[in-house]
Amino acid sequence: LDTGWYAKTGERAVDTDRFDAQLTTVGKMLADRGMKLGLWFSPKQTAVSAKITQDHLDCRCESDGEPWDAQPVWETEESYHMCLVSRWWEVFAAELIRLHHEVGVTYFKWDAVSQYGCDSPDHDHGTSSNLPQERKDCAAFEQVRYMAKIVDKVCAACPDAIVDFDITESGRSVGLAFLASGKFFLINNGPYYKNLDDPQYAPGGGMGANVFVFPGPSRPRNCRASLGYDRWIPSILFLTHYLPDDPAASQETNIASMILGHNGIWGDLVGLSDEGVARYGTWLEYYKQVRDDITSAKPIVTGVVGGTPEVHEKIDPQSGCGAVSIFSPRAGRFTYITQHTIAETDAAMDGVEVERLSSGQARITVTLEGWGGKVVFFGVQ
């Protein structure tokens, strides 16, 4: 549930004008469907009138000895900005743990965590013996580590918790230390009218003003560029959202991209056709059978993102299970031989032929009638 599930920031009591007090109705619906509850949080913001704010006014961000003014926050009253490199980090961690026990949330999505600004001498990033700029720089440096401390404390109390931090806006705290504890929400809707403009669809800008919010090859091609990190950092730590929208060619391209590790779906889910829902259901069921193999496999990439063809092999050499995804920006017939030997069973999208070689490898031939992408899974039933 995105911002708006709570009555006010800081205390984060459930908004009972929209939901029952403990989200029990939502929780039951999720449990009936084998799903888990996720909630949106802004770790540094807390409503002016909240008791938790009044008890921790010393944690407010400040500059040159003056606390920052309260600012409007989505769906609630004006809120102060709190410094995570202060005792506020433990307060926020305790709130997350409380909500885990009270409403059953296990997935925590963090947003709006800016990295720079606070130069208070009363927090954990310097004293009056340090220059204000030194305190400000130390706060920016330490914040990622303190964010990781929050996640570690939450996970110690709630072992099945996952924390995903949205770094899709400018000025966010980005540091590798956080990935030892949490995940990055890497790509959401794309740029806000800063490039790849399409004013025909959204005059004046805003959400929907660029090609990354439409079905087709552009968004998944852009998202796959970040798979280059996968040789060092598992791509499952970089949640990236792909569009599930019809038509079939776009869905297949997005599925073949998403299963390489990014694992995110974003868009008008209830607007999908029945065929589209069935298509996603089929291929996600296959993916779930070998997702651990795909995650552990070292990526083998042939070609470049957007090239003809672009091939991603993620097969666990021990089990022979995993997947191969093949993309092209134009029509054609493309052949690829796996570097690893493969398991005995497979499932391939239409237009994909799999020939098993005496070496134990597979020759995969993909026929595309236009731009697109296909995937074949090995080791699935």
Side-chain angles (χ1 to χ4, degrees), residues 55-325:
D55 291 344
H56 299 87
L57 291 176
D58 58 295
C59 299
R60 288 178 295 177
C61 289
E62 64 177 60
S63 297
D64 301 322
E66 295 294 328
W68 295 2
D69 292 335
Q71 298 291 328
V73 177
W74 313 276
E75 312 266 353
T76 185
E77 68 181 76
E78 290 190 343
S79 299
Y80 288 124
H81 240 69
M82 310 299 265
C83 179
L84 291 179
V85 191
S86 72
R87 68 188 184 110
W88 183 254
W89 80 268
E90 294 184 281
V91 175
F92 181 62
E95 276 292 288
L96 300 188
I97 294 169
R98 176 185 67 80
L99 286 163
H100 170 77
H101 293 305
E102 291 184 6
V103 305
V105 57
T106 58
Y107 187 88
F108 302 87
K109 195 262 182 151
W110 293 2
D111 202 354
V113 184
S114 56
Q115 185 163 12
Y116 303 100
C118 183
D119 65 8
S120 171
D122 300 318
H123 298 165
D124 299 333
H125 50 88
T127 68
S128 56
S129 64
N130 300 106
L131 296 173
Q133 187 62 46
E134 291 176 326
R135 297 194 295 265
K136 185 180 294 186
D137 291 343
C138 184
F141 180 83
E142 288 282 9
Q143 184 167 268
V144 172
R145 191 167 67 88
Y146 272 67
M147 291 166 65
K149 287 171 63 174
I150 296 170
V151 179
D152 291 342
K153 186 165 186 174
V154 171
C155 288
C158 325
D160 55 345
I162 295 175
V163 176
D164 217 331
F165 169 45
D166 189 337
I167 62 170
T168 64
E169 306 284 351
S170 60
R172 297 290 166 91
S173 297
V174 180
L176 293 179
F178 186 80
L179 293 179
S181 304
K183 298 172 60 178
F184 282 159
F185 185 110
L186 192 65
I187 299 176
N188 189 11
N189 58 282
Y192 289 95
Y193 209 56
K194 294 183 178 178
N195 55 26
L196 294 173
D197 303 322
D198 197 341
Q200 174 183 351
Y201 289 98
M207 185 86 74
N210 63 78
V211 299
F212 295 146
V213 297
F214 300 107
S218 295
R219 181 181 181 86
R221 185 182 304 167
N222 179 65
C223 293
R224 290 197 306 274
S226 64
L227 289 170
Y229 291 117
D230 194 30
R231 70 191 69 180
W232 302 292
I233 303 168
S235 56
I236 55 166
L237 295 183
F238 292 135
L239 174 68
T240 300
H241 285 144
Y242 292 86
L243 297 183
D245 306 54
D246 297 280
S250 183
Q251 290 180 329
E252 290 182 345
T253 301
N254 279 275
I255 291 169
S257 302
M258 181 188 67
I259 60 90
L260 295 171
H262 285 147
N263 291 338
I265 301 173
W266 174 83
D268 184 14
L269 299 179
V270 297
L272 297 187
S273 66
D274 291 342
E275 294 81 2
V277 172
R279 183 175 296 110
Y280 259 85
T282 295
W283 294 104
L284 290 182
E285 283 298 322
Y286 285 133
Y287 168 58
K288 290 175 181 179
Q289 294 181 40
V290 292
R291 59 187 176 187
D292 292 343
D293 302 275
I294 291 174
T295 300
S296 63
K298 180 179 180 180
I300 298 172
V301 181
T302 302
V304 298
V305 174
T308 307
E310 169 197 345
V311 184
H312 297 257
E313 176 180 333
K314 294 213 72 180
I315 297 175
D316 186 318
Q318 303 301 317
S319 66
C321 300
V324 174
S325 294

Side-chain angles (χ1 to χ4, degrees), residues 348-361:
M349 287 182 172
D350 290 343
V352 180
E353 303 168 23
V354 178
E355 178 186 356
R356 294 172 177 275
L357 305 178
S358 59
S359 62
Q361 299 161 281

